[in-house]
Amino acid sequence: MSGAALDVRNLAKSFTLHVQGGVRLPVLTGVSLSVHPGECVVLSDPSGAGKSTLLRSIYGNYLAQSGQSLVRHRERMVDMVGAAPRLVLDVRRHTLGYVSQFLRVIPRVPTDQVVATPLRAQGVEASEALARARAMLERLRIPERLWTLSPVTFSGGEQQRVNVARVFVAEYPILLLDEPTASLDSASRLAVVELIREARRRGAAVLGIVHDAQVRAEVATRVRTLADTEAA
Amino acid sequence: MSRYNFAYLDEQTKRMIRRAVLKAVAVPGYQVPFGSREMPLSYGWGTGGVQVTASVIGPTDVLKVIDQGADDTTNAVSIRKFFERTTGVATTTRTEAATLIQTRHRIPETPLRVGQIVVFQVPIPEPLRWLEPREAETRKMHALEEYGVMYVRLYEDITRHGRVAQTYEYPVIVDGRYLMRPSPIPKFDNPKLDRSPALMLFGAGREKRIYAVPPWTSVKSLDFDDHPFEIEHWDRPCALCGATSVFLDELIVDDKGGRLFICSDTDFCSRRRAASDPIPGR
Amino acid sequence: MNATVDDRPLLSVRGLGKHYGGRMGCRDVGFDLWSGEVLGIVGESGSGKTTVLNCLSGRVAADAGQVGYTKADGSVVDMRRLDESARRRLLRTEWGVVHQHARDGLRMGVTAGANVGERLMALGARHYGRVRGRALDWLARVEIAESRIDDLPETFSGGMLQRLQIARNLVTEPRLVLMDEPTGGLDVSVQARLLDLLRGLVDDLGLSAVIVTHDLAVARLLANRLLVMRGGEVVESGLTDQVLDDPQHPYAQLLVSSVLQP
């Protein structure tokens, strides 16, 4: 689709569990969707359908077997399926942000540095990166006394907010969000919703998984399932 | 009674040693292996020096032998007698009259001249041995000019003592290329090696190595820019001849701690005394 | 941090192979490494990962393949065809090698300061004060107390020895560092501290590195990309998170599923 920031075509992904006798699990069997700048497309399938698998496959965390996953990166459409690791890393650094369901923590890094890291990877100078990280933490209502601590001792909700902060601080053109407001109280949910709206306003293309109907209503411009096809 | 060959060694051995000497002269500072022979003195007493001297000495040479600067110590006397007996060459105690000087641990104070050969007795030829016990590895380090480790030694000295504590056998770079151990001469004598008109030959009998510094070759003692190389100084002249700027030995003269500082170079000292005292024969 | 995509790889390995008599050390190993990347080589004992590292540094002579390295001046050399003198010089300047046992990579008989300053002096540094200053600088960076600069490494703990070895290698600001099980044999808390240090240095200095480890957690922490080796061959390669989260090869799956979680 012309103009799309993210264009997935017939993506197929299965798992072959060699450790369990070679059983094969076909999870995605030909998904096609596109997301344009300013859109927020939300997937509404029930649990276990493969929504997270789709996001991870687009991000390059999972290896798709066939199909294409085109992202607009540095003015070109780049296919993440079969892309060289170096290219995937570059796309992740500058173009594609992914909020996963879990925050993977390195135990001894302070929270503000965790959030500043993506900015540093983009070449932002250290003190500016830290300042922007702290501003984002403040927006997500993480109290200042926690900024110098590692998130490893935080509650689930606090870790989730650090996860969100880490991705939104870098202002990626394309965002993949996997349940960004799960385990958050209403005030924090509001903050995340506002971040998503802001991202859309600056032209980001958002693909998300949101179970909460109210949040979905507040952020989605389009709701669809994995199996839906789109008009050409 | 059987007669010895000229200078004790057979001609083939002398030829082999001369080849090693020529190679050494062609590559200044480089240690040339040679087939060191059993000599009638023990290892550690100058067998290398004696073999080199025996290979280069000729019937018209005038030989001087010193040990720690003195012509009259046991070793100097023994070696001089050895050559008198096996070659019949003239011997002398006067530096400027000698054509060939075998020395243990000192360079004469009297300036050397073109045509003189100095043969040094060397215990350990390898300057990197303190750090690297493997011969194969030290050879590689010399071949690849990997001498950083010698500066580590100087660094350690400065760290431990505030200055480079090595006072003898002070390492040098010869002709800008090879790292050399100049035998256990005091660092005071190192400057005498630099661009000397004489040919310097070094023989290590037990370790079986010969090396050389040809005349007029640059010999630079290792140092740091902020800890430059310095020679020893004494705050008093020789008690016997009054010379300053020479290497002095310290003599304990009584049980009450009395001490004398006198020239290590006996020839230099005695002739200075003779010159200042007009009565001959003293 | 490297914000642009370089064209030419720093290290380009093709068909690397090494036999030990009838036994295979490694076979047909190939990869590219770009500036600022960390490549992890994981596998169990006997997988050939250490053989690969030793072939890269030339510590062991490979039987086959090319090891193309782009030098600081832009020229490309095949490490296998380099003469001994050039190879040794490269290993002292543009490359660093961190051994599993720190003692193999240090001079135990000289002070910590001399250990760090040696390569500087080998490259012609002739000012004691400045050499010492650089040594102090680096000891601080690897979190060794300044007061230990004149101590002998014999008095250091295992973790300190490893950090000293790292300082000794990084003082010449190499472009590529090879590490063999850098945290092997250390207590877990010491390992953690060392890993943090390595991660920080890689980030701050934009180091490129090849790290051999059997510990997948170390690989996840330090490496951008992984090679999984088994029986001397590479069975899987890719992004670290992809290989560890979605391994394709049966052995890679076995390896990942075997890791204990505390």
Side-chain angles (χ1 to χ4, degrees), chain A residues 2-138:
Chain A
S2 63
L6 173 64
D7 191 358
V8 178
R9 298 178 184 178
N10 248 308
L11 197 69
K13 166 68 187 157
S14 62
F15 293 94
T16 306
L17 306 180
H18 297 283
V19 186
Q20 293 179 47
V23 62
R24 190 168 164 273
L25 304 172
V27 177
L28 301 174
T29 53
V31 174
S32 297
L33 61 78
S34 61
V35 185
H36 289 72
E39 278 198 297
C40 176
V41 176
V42 173
L43 299 169
S44 60
D45 307 67
S47 303
K51 304 188 296 298
S52 294
T53 300
L54 176 65
L55 259 49
R56 283 174 184 263
S57 299
I58 295 171
Y59 197 62
N61 180 229
Y62 283 174
L63 224 50
Q65 269 70 47
S66 66
Q68 292 177 301
S69 169
L70 301 161
V71 306
R72 173 139 15 99
H73 171 69
R74 298 182 189 275
E75 313 301 314
R76 288 167 44 237
M77 293 308 278
V78 167
D79 188 3
M80 294 293 275
V81 177
R86 209 159 144 262
L87 183 54
V88 174
L89 286 173
D90 196 54
V91 172
R92 289 180 180 181
R93 201 175 287 136
H94 296 285
T95 300
L96 197 50
Y98 170 50
V99 177
S100 62
Q101 278 178 313
F102 314 102
L103 177 67
R104 189 169 237 114
V105 226
I106 304 162
R108 290 159 303 281
V109 182
T111 297
D112 53 6
Q113 281 186 33
V114 169
V115 177
T117 301
L119 289 174
R120 300 280 291 124
Q122 288 177 346
V124 176
E125 188 264 321
S127 55
E128 188 195 330
L130 206 59
R132 283 165 63 177
R134 288 174 176 166
M136 183 59 75
L137 285 170
E138 197 166 340

Side-chain angles (χ1 to χ4, degrees), chain B residues 95-110:
Chain B
T95 303
E96 72 274 13
T99 60
L100 188 54
I101 302 169
Q102 177 163 334
T103 176
R104 175 177 170 270
H105 302 355
R106 282 240 49 218
I107 298 178
E109 303 291 350
T110 310

Side-chain angles (χ1 to χ4, degrees), chain B residues 140 146 156 159 225-226, chain C residues 88 92 111 126 128-129 150:
Chain B
K140 213 175 250 189
E146 289 181 7
E156 292 287 86
T159 300
D225 294 342
D226 51 339
Chain C
R88 279 166 78 124
R92 271 204 309 274
T111 61
R126 292 288 175 266
Y128 173 83
D150 298 328

